Amino acid sequence: MTEVIDVKMTTPEAADFLGITIQHVHKLLKTKGLHYQKSQNRIFFGHEAAKSLFNTPFKRKIITFQIVKGGTGKTSLAHSFAIRASLYGAKVLCVDLDQQGNLTSAFNFNPDKTPVIVDIINEGINVRDAIINIYPGVDLIPSRIENAVLDNIIMLNKHPLDRVYSNILEKIKTDYDLIIIDCPPALGQSVAAATLASDCVIAPLTPEQFSLSGLKITHDELSGLSRKYGKKIDLKIVLNKFDNRTALSSEVLTTLLSHDIYKNMLSKSFIRSCQEFPNTIYTGSTIFSTLKNSSAKEDIDLFTREILELNGIRTTN
Ligand SMILES: Nc1ncnc2c1ncn2[C@@H]1O[C@H](COP(=O)(O)OP(=O)(O)O)[C@@H](O)[C@H]1O
Ligand SMILES: [Mg+2]
């Protein structure tokens, strides 16, 4: 039996990305003998076919979603970005560092019987034994409440901040094109260690919870760590739950664009407010599981292309 395609890249989406016609994409799928499905007159495919079709030369990266505030979309963006990246052919590992395990539940995974990061650090469990496959091309190191002691463990056992997570990830880094770390809304040893293991930190901001001081804390912390450990880590700010009809959203955008430092860190793509984010997670699904068009899909697609620098690559022939 051929595998059911859970998360989907459609032929119009692929055609748009590659700058070719939908018919051409369809022909490529056929001639390359790739696995695709058809439903509601739409043709779609998954990670394996995407890998072959797009043949994307990814730059290997570790990206952390963090900001001190909760509810700004760290988990939602990490989740949908991971899936979208896999649909461009990337092999992705997600690491859930938040003891609330929201990313783990977004992936519908029950972590009760599997090791989490704290077990790897404390009990020397092999990191490979903590990795769960969720979708083709998407793996997860889950989290549960026991990870709440990570800050203390790192401090009390004097684990070097710049090595504790990077040593773990080092062993498996070459297995993946992209590693995505989802952090709790906190500043502490664990989040600092995740920052130091990363090439890039993405801080989602929402207009309704916007605070320049919150952003400043994250930025200062990152600059401090970067200086102290001599490591270059990019900060990218992404506006989430953006609604250009509201004065608040425009105000926040203007504030950021007129800020000397932050204007250069703001991602070009915004994520609009869209019910598909909470709805799909609530039903244990994802925004890329349905064939229905949504702004969530469009925005995460552009965001993924921007962060992974996919635009202009188009290598398929
Ligand atoms: N663009 C969006 N539009 C609508 N709801 C969103 C959007 N992004 C996130 N949400 C919702 O906001 C809530 C908080 O998001 P979440 O990703 O859990 O934030 P964090 O991880 O930063 O705490 C969730 O209910 C999520 O479904
Ligand atoms: Mg979260």
Side-chain angles (χ1 to χ4, degrees):
M1 206 185 88
T2 34
E3 216 176 309
V4 174
I5 300 170
D6 280 325
V7 291
K8 308 170 172 78
M9 171 71 79
T10 65
T11 45
E13 290 166 345
D16 172 60
F17 174 63
L18 293 169
I20 58 178
T21 63
I22 298 170
Q23 289 72 18
H24 192 171
V25 175
H26 195 189
K27 199 169 132 205
L28 285 170
L29 287 169
K30 275 190 176 158
T31 50
K32 289 175 178 250
L34 303 174
H35 174 49
Y36 63 86
Q37 282 175 357
K38 201 171 176 180
S39 162
Q40 302 158 21
N41 253 332
R42 308 272 292 274
I43 291 168
F44 56 88
F45 54 91
H47 166 75
E48 287 302 332
K51 215 161 61 177
S52 246
L53 181 73
F54 296 131
N55 204 9
T56 314
F58 291 103
K59 297 180 189 159
R60 195 166 275 143
K61 271 188 190 178
I62 302 184
I63 296 180
T64 290
F65 283 79
Q66 66 156 87
I67 184 130
V68 281
K69 267 191 187 305
T72 67
K74 290 177 287 300
T75 303
S76 308
L77 300 194
H79 178 249
S80 41
F81 170 57
I83 293 171
R84 196 55 175 172
S86 79
L87 291 172
Y88 278 108
K91 178 107 198 282
V92 186
L93 172 69
C94 296
V95 182
D96 191 353
L97 273 191
D98 187 347
Q99 64 266 22
Q100 303 302 330
N102 291 340
L103 183 63
T104 303
S105 27
F107 280 124
N108 257 331
F109 184 76
N110 177 345
D112 290 350
K113 294 194 175 66
T114 49
V116 296
I117 287 283
V118 74
D119 304 317
I120 299 174
I121 296 180
N122 256 349
E123 293 167 35
I125 290 190
N126 188 327
V127 57
R128 286 181 204 279
D129 294 333
I131 297 177
I132 310 295
N133 177 246
I134 303 287
Y135 298 113
V138 182
D139 288 353
L140 170 73
I141 298 182
S143 179
R144 54 181 145 72
I145 198 72
E146 282 76 5
N147 271 343
V149 298
L150 277 171
D151 281 342
N152 288 345
I153 299 272
I154 293 174
M155 199 161 63
L156 294 175
N157 297 345
K158 299 199 171 59
H159 288 289
L161 264 198
D162 58 332
R163 297 304 316 161
V164 60
Y165 291 152
S166 39
N167 281 349
I168 295 173
L169 297 178
E170 201 60 46
K171 300 187 185 114
I172 46 169
K173 204 174 162 184
T174 51
D175 296 353
Y176 296 96
D177 298 302
L178 176 64
I179 299 181
I180 297 173
I181 306 176
D182 185 30
C183 288
L187 277 181
Q189 307 286 301
S190 173
V191 172
T195 306
L196 285 166
S198 308
D199 303 297
C200 173
V201 163
I202 297 181
L205 283 182
T206 51
E208 71 264 31
Q209 295 174 296
F210 180 69
S211 87
L212 265 183
S213 49
L215 185 57
K216 184 171 184 308
I217 293 171
T218 298
H219 178 246
D220 288 352
E221 173 81 1
L222 196 147
S223 315
L225 287 168
S226 204
R227 250 194 325 273
K228 181 166 175 198
Y229 292 92
K231 190 176 175 205
K232 186 179 170 299
I233 308 154
D234 294 328
L235 177 61
K236 256 285 185 252
I237 300 164
V238 55
L239 283 175
N240 184 27
K241 302 191 196 177
F242 193 78
D243 183 347
N244 59 12
R245 293 163 306 183
T246 68
L248 186 60
S249 283
S250 324
E251 221 171 89
V252 166
L253 183 59
T254 311
T255 307
L256 288 172
L257 286 176
S258 55
H259 193 283
D260 278 352
I261 301 172
Y262 303 142
K263 69 176 178 211
N264 301 316
M265 299 175 169
L266 190 61
S267 70
K268 289 192 190 66
S269 35
F270 306 162
I271 315 297
R272 286 168 281 178
S273 250
C274 178
Q275 248 341 85
E276 280 295 293
F277 285 104
N279 287 356
T280 46
I281 291 209
Y282 182 72
T283 56
S285 171
T286 85
I287 60 169
F288 295 110
S289 304
T290 77
L291 287 169
K292 202 169 80 182
N293 291 331
S294 69
S295 70
K297 271 167 122 172
E298 279 172 34
D299 295 348
I300 293 294
D301 181 57
L302 292 179
F303 174 73
T304 305
R305 291 196 206 177
E306 179 182 347
I307 300 297
L308 299 183
E309 301 167 69
L310 299 184
N311 291 321
I313 291 183
R314 298 175 183 174
T315 55
T316 280
N317 41 44

